[in-house]
């Protein structure tokens, strides 16, 4: 477990992070203040376009293999988060930060009996690209060459973004967001690999992905998909997993949840979103959405409408 550190009031990047020890509603942010269950808040602050925020404590919850369209910056503030990545498993304790590039498949679960608490930023690619262009000399698409760092100061800055956003302090939130992303890019950043021309198997995987994306609500079976692409089922399985880090059925569930998120953000009711993306009913959507996003679809939709504050998983009913 990585030891924690408080850092000075003024960070080395010249910014001061607000104290993240208490929430804007007066309740302590520390997991110990919320005994008896998991809790999570997944939301957006209107003054920070291109950014999603998640603050949570999880004990039993486990994220299945999935990926994100943007970046993930997870600052662990208690316990241990175990993250499964293509190149291995990382145990991140208090004071550690996880950095994941777009479309990198990963899992997450507790790495200790007490679970883990963290504050996470999900910046869009355009946001990171703009900060990289202004503050670094990186060429091409900027990303992170390391997936983990023991960096209590960066953790403090991420917490500061959350606290400032919760308080409605747009100037502080935007400033701290840019400072922490620039800091991490300078210390752990580099250009992402340029995609080389696709081999035959990769081209088959791309075609399979496009077909599945166009038929989320009524996808073909693996055998039907392979026949349409002129290959065998096992060859397609291998090619798809090599290209996207997960088999087609797991990728399809992830893609359905992504599409459901966009529908919910537009105000669609969870039951309607469930059917639109191919889930059998709302409970089916609830189960997969909560596993991948960390909160139920109803809570996610209410946050986008400026509603619910914090979702407590213990003893809570369906969204």
């Amino acid at each position: 477990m990585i030891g924690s550190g408080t850092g000075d009031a003024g960070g080395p990047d010249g910014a001061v992070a607000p104290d993240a020890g208490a929430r804007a509603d007066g309740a302590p942010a520390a997991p110990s203040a919320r005994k008896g269950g998991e809790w999570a808040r997944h939301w957006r602050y209107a003054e920070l376009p291109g950014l999603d925020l998640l603050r949570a404590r999880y004990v039993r919850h486990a994220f299945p293999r999935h990926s994100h369209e943007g970046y993930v910056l997870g600052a662990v503030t208690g316990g241990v988060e175990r993250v499964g990545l293509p190149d291995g498993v990382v145990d991140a304790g208090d004071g550690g930060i996880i950095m994941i590039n777009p479309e990198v498949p990963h899992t997450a679960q507790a790495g200790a009996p007490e679970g883990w608490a963290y504050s996470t930023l999900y910046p869009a690619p355009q946001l990171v690209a703009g900060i990289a262009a202004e503050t670094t000399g990186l060429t091409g698409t900027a990303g992170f060459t390391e997936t983990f760092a023991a960096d209590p100061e960066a953790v403090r800055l991420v917490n500061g973004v959350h606290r400032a956003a919760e308080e409605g302090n747009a100037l502080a939130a935007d400033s701290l967001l840019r400072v922490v992303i620039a800091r991490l890019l300078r210390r752990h950043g580099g250009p992402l690999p340029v995609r080389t021309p696709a081999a035959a198997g990769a081209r088959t995987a791309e075609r399979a992905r496009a077909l599945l994306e166009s038929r989320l609500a009524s996808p073909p079976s693996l055998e039907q998909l392979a026949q349409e692409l002129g290959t065998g089922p096992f060859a397609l399985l291998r090619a798809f997993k090599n290209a996207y880090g997960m088999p087609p059925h797991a990728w399809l569930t992830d893609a359905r949840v992504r599409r459901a998120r966009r529908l919910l953000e537009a105000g669609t009711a969870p039951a309607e979103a469930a059917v639109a993306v191919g889930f059998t009913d709302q409970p089916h959507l609830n189960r997969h959405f909560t596993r991948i996003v960390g909160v139920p679809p109803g809570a996610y939709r209410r946050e986008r409408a400026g509603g619910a504050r914090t979702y407590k998983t213990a003893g809570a009913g369906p969204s």
Side-chain angles (χ1 to χ4, degrees), residues 7-18:
D8 298 326
D13 296 283
V16 178

Side-chain angles (χ1 to χ4, degrees), residues 1 4 25 39 48 61 66-67 93 98 103 143 154 178 182 194-195 264 296 304 310:
M1 184 171 182
S4 63
D25 58 11
W39 56 270
L48 295 179
H61 185 81
H66 66 290
S67 60
I98 296 288
E103 303 298 348
R178 294 174 186 279
V194 178
R195 294 187 63 182
L264 294 168
R304 268 56 187 171
T310 301

Side-chain angles (χ1 to χ4, degrees), residues 36-38 57-63 108-110 112-116 313-315:
E38 303 176 330
R57 175 179 183 256
Y58 296 118
V59 180
R60 296 173 300 279
H61 185 81
F63 290 89
Q109 64 186 58
E114 68 271 24
W116 83 99
T313 63

